[in-house]
Amino acid sequence: MLGAAGSGELWLGIGPAALRAELRAELVDRGEIVALGVEGMRGGRFVVADELPLLAQAEREIAAEAAGAISRPGDGPAGVSFLAPLDPLMWDRDALEPLYGFDYRWEVYTPAAKRRWGYYVLPILFGDRMVGRIEPRIDRASKSVRILGLAWEPGFDPIEAPGFVPAFSAALASYLAFGVADALVPPAGMAHRALFREVAFAAPVRRAPAPRAPRGAARKSASS
């Protein structure tokens, strides 16, 4: 859905706001894009006319679900995706926050001391919900993917959510293949241990190394 002010990945380099408005009006007049309103969002949006049948299908699916239909088009196990920070969905914060209730900022250029989540954090999409954030780091030397950070949205329990563990495991296995890595190294600490015990049935998990004690502390322990 294109915002009224344009969208970076589509309008970049086209020209100033006045020219973009003129071009947008021409597309509307030719019937190539159609204006629409989205509940919960301020301002108008536009959709490519060829995609109107997809909107109609979505409306039918929602109506069928509300009526208690056992199955509907598009039904199936929900998958998990790790979204790149430069995915167009992540750029459009005016749509992301009201539609998904998800506050995301790419912090790669944020000073380390001011980061809230991490250097290169990927949103976790489960079905049609944003449920968390993950920061995977490919370690070429050890042929592993280290999970530097993992956090869930308020109210989401990864163990209790139906279908999440297998979908999350599959997404991690795909990330291992992408990184040409042999094993996952989960976050340090106890918080995610139960989850990664389940993940280990679908993807190789390597125990995180224990943190090293400071040199002074090690000498003191040896001499006592």
Side-chain angles (χ1 to χ4, degrees):
M1 292 181 297
L2 182 65
S7 187
E9 72 274 17
L10 296 178
W11 294 103
L12 190 63
I14 287 179
L19 177 59
R20 294 199 300 271
E22 180 181 341
L23 293 173
R24 186 176 64 244
E26 289 181 10
L27 291 172
V28 171
D29 290 342
R30 294 203 301 263
E32 295 183 28
I33 62 174
V34 178
L36 52 81
V38 180
E39 185 178 352
M41 293 178 60
R42 293 182 299 176
R45 291 270 160 171
F46 299 86
V47 66
V48 177
D50 290 345
E51 295 181 351
L52 285 175
L54 295 177
L55 284 180
Q57 178 183 343
E59 289 181 339
R60 290 194 299 271
E61 292 177 1
I62 291 171
E65 185 177 37
I70 296 175
S71 62
R72 58 189 175 90
D75 270 349
V80 165
S81 298
F82 305 144
L83 300 183
L86 296 182
D87 187 290
L89 181 60
M90 296 297 104
W91 292 7
D92 196 347
R93 293 175 185 165
D94 289 340
L96 182 65
E97 295 185 22
L99 292 181
Y100 291 92
F102 192 72
D103 180 19
Y104 180 74
R105 299 292 184 273
W106 192 30
E107 297 180 313
V108 68
Y109 297 115
T110 304
K114 295 184 178 180
R115 289 178 194 142
R116 183 181 178 189
W117 300 107
Y119 175 75
Y120 206 91
V121 173
L122 311 180
I124 301 173
L125 178 68
F126 176 43
D128 58 2
R129 294 184 292 160
M130 297 289 188
V131 299
R133 305 154 201 264
I134 187 170
E135 186 175 12
R137 181 73 52 83
I138 298 171
D139 188 331
R140 303 291 184 191
S142 64
K143 297 192 71 175
S144 65
V145 171
R146 293 185 293 122
I147 310 301
L148 303 184
L150 185 60
W152 308 111
E153 289 296 279
F156 182 77
D157 186 326
I159 300 291
E160 297 296 330
F164 179 77
V165 170
F168 183 63
S169 302
L172 288 171
S174 296
Y175 203 91
L176 275 178
F178 165 73
V180 194
D182 295 332
L184 295 162
V185 180
M190 298 292 294
H192 306 290
R193 185 163 293 183
L195 174 61
F196 278 88
R197 275 200 299 266
E198 299 296 324
V199 169
F201 288 106
V205 174
R206 186 183 301 165
R207 182 173 296 181
R212 294 181 179 178
R215 286 186 177 181
R219 288 198 201 98
K220 184 176 179 181
S221 176
S223 62
S224 60

